[in-house]
Amino acid sequence: MTLKVEKEFQPSETKRIVKNVVIISLAFMVQFTAYSGAANLQSSINAEEGLGMSSLAAVYAGLVLSNIFLPTAVIKWIGTKWAISLSFVAYMPFIAAQLWPSFYTMIPAGLCVGLGGGPLWCAKCTYLSVVSEVHSKISNITAEALLTRFLGLFFMIFQFNQVWGNLISSLVLSSGDNQAAVTAINATMIPEICGANFLPSVDAAEALQRQPYEKIQLLSGIYLACMAAAALIVAIGVDSMKRYDTGRAVKVMGGVEMLMATLKLLVEPKQIMLITIMVFTGLQQAFFGADFTASFVSCAVGTGTVGYVMLTFGVSDAIGCFVTGYIAKITGRIPLVCAATVIHMALVATILLWKPQANMSYVMYIIAVLWGLCDSVWLVQINAFFGILFPGREEAAFSNFRLWESVGYIIAYVISPHLRTSSKAYLIGTTMLVGVSLYFIVEFQVKREREEKETKEPVNGLDNKAFTIAE
């Protein structure tokens, strides 16, 4: 049965839709206050033998499997709302494992996070896509514009997780007389060891100190409380998707069927050309949160400063998500992507050329601000583009997005202990240029298809007008 929005909903329903979007965004912010706060510290507090980076690689390995096999089935079985709420719980073992860090505890906990992440992110994207359509039919604003706006609102609120999570970690680690919160390297050696020359497998033992156990206990307790609160926020405060049933038939798929659906979408030419930019999205986020913070911040200044730099990144990213969502309505996506590409390449060049100094930490904050602004463009505009490219197939499309983004994370975390920061920066720059070039090709293809469709509009327009008069 087709949804008759104008008959079933009052204009005030748009406020309720926005309320649901805001509550989901707040819940994600609280959840990832905990997860991001812990994840951003892994390259510093669990640096020995690459344990922290291995656990993060396990997260995204689990996410790849999850994105292939789980999202559609989980959303169908328990609904979009409960898929979000219960997936939050799957993140909790990772925080608990920080109390007993070893490969036997953190790798399985990382896999658990990944398995919960597939349904979580797909359910969020599906919810926003569907309510955008419903809101569009009530307000006469295009669903494309609303989806971009809602994604901008979501990521603006969501990215504040970097603020609170990293503020908590910095305050806890810097409190008291914690000598492990500052760098152990002599100031004269910082330019030689830290920055582009940093090699985790060799330099981490000297540069990154183990944090006191009581600090890790306190952080873990705070973060576990945040995750429990996030699950309750969604369970109590968000309307079920049944309220906004648009009559779409969602087929329950087993693992093999979901794999085939994913592969079917994957072989489409537009999807293939967007793989590189999806991988880049994961690569650049993982690089900044792990490699930059370890090789520049922790090495040159100290682990206690990591949270403040990531806090700066989070504020910039959040503001950027909100602003770019609205700027895109005026300029379109392409100018924003061009600007982000130029700025991001300049940042990569800075990382390759700049030698950090003990008294030049302000440069790290400038890099964090600009990196956050670029990341906001990738997050909002590429996500929105996927919702536009594959209408009616959002679950598979966003599942593919998260899958390839996860591949980017895995690559970054697997190579992190074994390559110098300079090599990883070259990889990011190359991937970005290739990904953006292919993205432009897809954009122009879509533009050409729309122009061809518009040339046929007069005939369809007459048919629609006659139908409307008859009604």
Side-chain angles (χ1 to χ4, degrees):
M1 182 178 67
T2 303
L3 178 67
K4 303 288 186 181
V5 176
E6 55 273 17
K7 293 182 179 179
E8 294 185 9
F9 292 112
Q10 298 297 321
S12 59
E13 187 67 26
T14 57
K15 295 181 180 178
R16 186 161 186 157
I17 289 173
V18 173
K19 182 267 296 182
N20 284 319
V21 173
V22 170
I23 291 176
I24 288 175
S25 304
L26 288 171
F28 269 76
M29 182 194 71
V30 174
Q31 172 77 4
F32 284 85
T33 287
Y35 174 71
S36 297
N40 290 336
L41 292 173
Q42 293 307 304
S43 61
S44 299
I45 65 174
N46 291 311
E48 293 184 12
E49 299 182 357
L51 173 59
M53 305 306 287
S54 297
S55 69
L56 293 175
V59 168
Y60 290 95
L63 193 55
V64 168
L65 295 174
S66 176
N67 276 312
I68 293 174
F69 293 107
L70 296 180
T72 300
V74 171
I75 291 170
K76 177 64 177 179
W77 290 336
I78 62 177
T80 308
K81 166 184 172 176
W82 292 107
I84 294 173
S85 184
L86 295 179
S87 293
F88 281 160
V89 178
Y91 283 64
M92 297 178 77
F94 183 77
I95 303 301
Q98 304 301 315
L99 298 171
W100 304 279
S102 73
F103 283 93
Y104 298 106
T105 58
M106 293 189 63
I107 301 303
L111 287 171
C112 186
V113 170
L115 293 176
L120 174 65
W121 286 97
C122 187
K124 181 272 297 182
C125 289
T126 301
Y127 198 104
L128 295 188
S129 295
V130 172
V131 298
S132 295
E133 294 174 6
V134 176
H135 192 300
S136 174
K137 293 175 182 178
I138 301 171
S139 63
N140 292 322
I141 302 172
T142 65
E144 177 179 334
L146 285 166
L147 179 58
T148 301
R149 191 179 303 176
F150 285 159
L151 284 168
L153 176 62
F154 171 83
F155 282 114
M156 180 197 72
I157 296 173
F158 169 75
Q159 287 302 124
F160 273 96
N161 76 80
Q162 295 285 356
V163 176
W164 309 122
N166 293 298
L167 181 61
I168 290 169
S169 67
S170 285
L171 289 175
V172 170
L173 294 179
S174 300
S175 63
D177 185 22
N178 182 15
Q179 295 301 314
V182 297
T183 183
I185 298 178
N186 185 280
T188 59
M189 293 301 297
I190 288 175
E192 302 300 322
I193 297 176
C194 305
N197 291 327
F198 188 81
L199 180 61
S201 60
V202 175
D203 302 323
E206 178 182 356
L208 311 178
Q209 304 179 70
R210 179 177 291 277
Q211 299 300 312
Y213 184 69
E214 60 271 17
K215 300 289 187 183
I216 303 301
Q217 279 184 312
L218 179 56
L219 276 177
S220 297
I222 295 171
Y223 289 158
L224 284 171
C226 288
M227 289 186 171
L232 289 174
I233 288 171
V234 173
I236 296 171
V238 175
D239 289 322
S240 170
M241 184 59 75
K242 292 179 181 179
R243 181 180 181 86
Y244 302 113
D245 180 16
T246 58
R248 285 195 223 173
V250 181
K251 182 182 177 183
V252 181
M253 297 184 185
V256 175
E257 290 176 298
M258 183 60 187
L259 175 59
M260 295 307 296
T262 302
L263 292 176
K264 184 178 179 180
L265 184 63
L266 177 60
V267 298
E268 294 190 12
K270 291 185 177 68
Q271 173 79 17
I272 292 173
M273 286 191 287
L274 291 172
I275 287 176
T276 307
I277 199 166
M278 289 185 280
V279 172
F280 162 72
T281 302
L283 268 176
Q284 60 90 17
Q285 290 184 72
F287 175 85
F288 188 85
D291 292 297
F292 179 79
T293 55
S295 59
F296 281 85
V297 185
S298 290
C299 182
V301 184
T303 304
T305 307
V306 169
Y308 295 122
V309 171
M310 290 304 298
L311 185 156
T312 304
F313 167 82
V315 172
S316 175
D317 207 340
I319 294 173
C321 286
F322 179 76
V323 172
T324 57
Y326 282 89
I327 291 177
K329 294 189 299 180
I330 302 171
T331 65
R333 284 182 298 274
I334 292 178
L336 284 172
V337 172
C338 289
T341 303
V342 171
I343 296 171
H344 224 146
M345 284 303 299
L347 291 174
V348 170
T350 301
I351 286 170
L352 289 169
L353 299 174
W354 177 57
K355 291 185 177 295
Q357 306 283 343
N359 60 349
M360 295 181 65
S361 59
Y362 65 90
V363 178
M364 301 173 192
Y365 288 98
I366 294 173
I367 293 173
V369 170
L370 295 176
W371 203 290
L373 291 174
C374 293
D375 186 55
S376 68
V377 174
W378 308 127
L379 283 176
V380 176
Q381 301 308 320
I382 304 302
N383 266 280
F385 193 44
F386 263 70
I388 295 161
L389 275 180
F390 306 106
R393 294 185 291 169
E394 289 88 356
E395 292 88 349
F398 288 124
S399 179
N400 263 289
F401 183 92
R402 293 297 297 176
L403 186 154
W404 289 109
E405 184 184 45
S406 299
V407 170
Y409 275 100
I410 293 170
I411 293 171
Y413 292 139
V414 168
I415 67 174
S416 180
H418 311 294
L419 295 178
R420 295 191 184 277
T421 302
S422 57
S423 299
K424 289 172 275 192
Y426 281 120
L427 175 63
I428 286 178
T430 302
T431 307
M432 175 170 52
L433 290 178
V434 173
V436 170
S437 298
L438 293 172
Y439 160 80
F440 284 150
I441 294 174
V442 177
E443 278 278 16
F444 287 121
Q445 285 180 343
V446 171
K447 181 180 179 181
R448 185 176 60 197
E449 290 169 1
R450 284 182 176 175
E451 290 174 349
E452 291 175 355
K453 183 179 178 181
E454 287 174 0
T455 61
K456 302 176 182 179
E457 280 296 314
V459 174
N460 292 333
L462 289 173
D463 290 341
N464 292 337
K465 183 176 180 181
F467 178 81
T468 304
I469 295 172
E471 284 288 301

